[in-house]
Amino acid sequence: MPGPFTTTTLNITTGSAETVTDLTHECERFLAEAAGGRDGLLNIFVPHATAGIAVMETGAGSDDDLLAALHTLLPADDRWQHRHGSPGHGRDHVLPAFVPPHATLPVTGGRLGLGTWQSVCLVDTNKDNANRQVRLSFLG
């Protein structure tokens, strides 16, 4: 039986476009081994200053709606004081204040406690960094 705390790191390639990447299946795969049928908590953490974790519906346009809303809230223009990287990159460093870099979710009987239409997603607006790590940690 796995120990009370287990962690792994996913390596995700997001490409050169802003993305919402569904990580739900990777989380479920991790829990199938790490949770061993137990109750507990899954923490999802992205150790990057320009990406976040969202729990949301995907596949029905909500992911595109989120990216559009972020463009409205955080335009990719020259208003940002943080100016390295591609034009408007400063907005990417503000993103985690709106889409936090972590989520902690319930695990019941070794299964992720999401609602019917909820998915765990990596939100990445930084087109300058296509390689992301996501840490999954189970405590139970």
Side-chain angles (χ1 to χ4, degrees):
M1 175 187 265
F5 181 80
T6 306
T7 191
T8 193
T9 301
L10 305 174
N11 292 301
I12 307 291
T13 302
T14 56
S16 60
E18 297 177 359
T19 61
V20 176
T21 304
D22 191 338
L23 302 175
T24 308
H25 294 297
E26 287 87 346
C27 292
E28 290 170 341
R29 233 175 289 149
F30 169 69
L31 288 172
E33 288 187 30
R38 293 174 293 159
D39 294 351
L41 296 171
L42 174 66
N43 180 265
I44 305 104
F45 177 71
V46 55
H48 298 282
T50 58
I53 299 295
V55 177
M56 60 181 289
E57 179 180 5
T58 60
S62 298
D63 24 7
D64 291 332
D65 289 342
L66 173 60
L67 293 174
L70 290 171
H71 270 279
T72 299
L73 291 169
L74 306 170
D77 58 24
D78 65 355
R79 75 183 67 203
W80 308 100
Q81 293 187 37
H82 188 108
R83 293 187 184 263
H84 76 87
S86 60
H89 175 65
R91 75 183 287 262
D92 301 326
H93 288 274
V94 177
L95 173 77
F98 292 90
V99 181
H102 60 87
T104 300
L105 304 172
V107 175
T108 306
R111 301 202 48 148
L112 194 53
L114 292 172
T116 302
W117 302 111
Q118 290 180 314
S119 297
V120 178
C121 300
L122 170 65
V123 179
D124 185 4
T125 60
N126 183 357
K127 297 182 273 185
D128 294 340
N129 185 358
N131 300 306
R132 299 300 188 163
Q133 292 185 330
V134 178
R135 294 185 189 142
L136 305 178
S137 300
F138 174 74
L139 177 62

